[in-house]
Amino acid sequence: LRPEVDKLVAAVSAARHLPFHGTLPARALGRDETRRATALAIGEGTDNAATRTEGELLKRLGLMPAAEGSGELAAQAYAFAAPPAPRYDAATGTLLVPSFLPLGAERATLAHEIAHAVADQRFGLRRFLRVAPDGGPRLDGDAERARLALVEGDAMLAGLELGDPRENFL
């Protein structure tokens, strides 16, 4: 894992023209750890207006039983349904990589997540997204989604640049 991450950090940094200082912490996770990390990333264990709203939305869409309650259940439902994939945890500054997936098949996703790490080091993603200390949002839905779209678009562009350094995709 370490050599592949280091190689990709250098490549993503070069593609984005943003230096990455130091070594990106990376951790290999088993299946249960991956599911738990996903649940935590999307709000399990937090009780705030945003997670309650997500729970209500899932109930209205019929994706969660109407009798069931909170955002915690929404987080559990998402974590269960989400395919395992590498993820950058901005709270800890660590790249989390499922150990049971072949690294070669995850190269594009790893590059995308490493792009988040590079952007985080340079711009501070939690500050930019205005994440509260409890992990909840401080912005209203539209403002939060607009900033998140910018962050995700930047990471997507980094992946495209890495795959096509001549930028023919443009």
Side-chain angles (χ1 to χ4, degrees):
L1 177 62
R2 179 83 268 150
E4 184 66 21
V5 169
D6 291 344
K7 216 169 26 178
L8 281 172
V9 166
V12 169
S13 293
R16 298 303 294 133
H17 307 290
L18 292 172
F20 188 86
H21 304 287
T23 301
L24 174 61
R27 210 172 111 218
L29 304 177
R31 289 182 190 278
D32 291 339
E33 290 177 300
T34 299
R35 189 174 291 120
R36 181 74 183 138
T38 303
L40 288 173
I42 54 172
E44 183 178 300
T46 61
D47 185 27
N48 59 41
T51 57
R52 285 191 298 276
T53 300
E54 284 292 321
E56 277 302 310
L57 180 63
L58 288 173
K59 283 191 276 185
R60 289 180 186 191
L61 291 172
L63 299 174
M64 195 168 75
E68 303 288 340
S70 70
E72 176 134 348
L73 290 172
Q76 290 171 356
Y78 277 134
F80 184 75
R87 189 178 65 74
Y88 174 68
D89 180 4
T92 64
T94 304
L95 183 65
L96 305 173
V97 182
S99 62
F100 50 92
L101 299 176
L103 279 180
E106 294 299 313
R107 189 171 194 273
T109 306
L110 276 169
H112 179 99
E113 295 303 315
I114 289 169
H116 287 314
V118 170
D120 187 25
Q121 189 179 76
R122 175 68 174 90
F123 304 109
L125 292 183
R126 291 178 64 82
R127 186 178 64 246
F128 177 71
L129 295 170
R130 301 232 177 115
V131 176
D134 70 351
R138 288 186 175 155
L139 299 169
D140 69 19
D142 287 342
E144 179 185 16
R145 282 186 283 282
R147 288 180 183 221
L148 191 55
L150 182 63
V151 168
E152 289 300 329
D154 176 68
M156 180 64 74
L157 182 61
L160 291 171
E161 288 175 335
L162 192 61
D164 181 9
R166 293 183 181 190
E167 298 183 356
N168 291 327
F169 63 89
L170 294 175

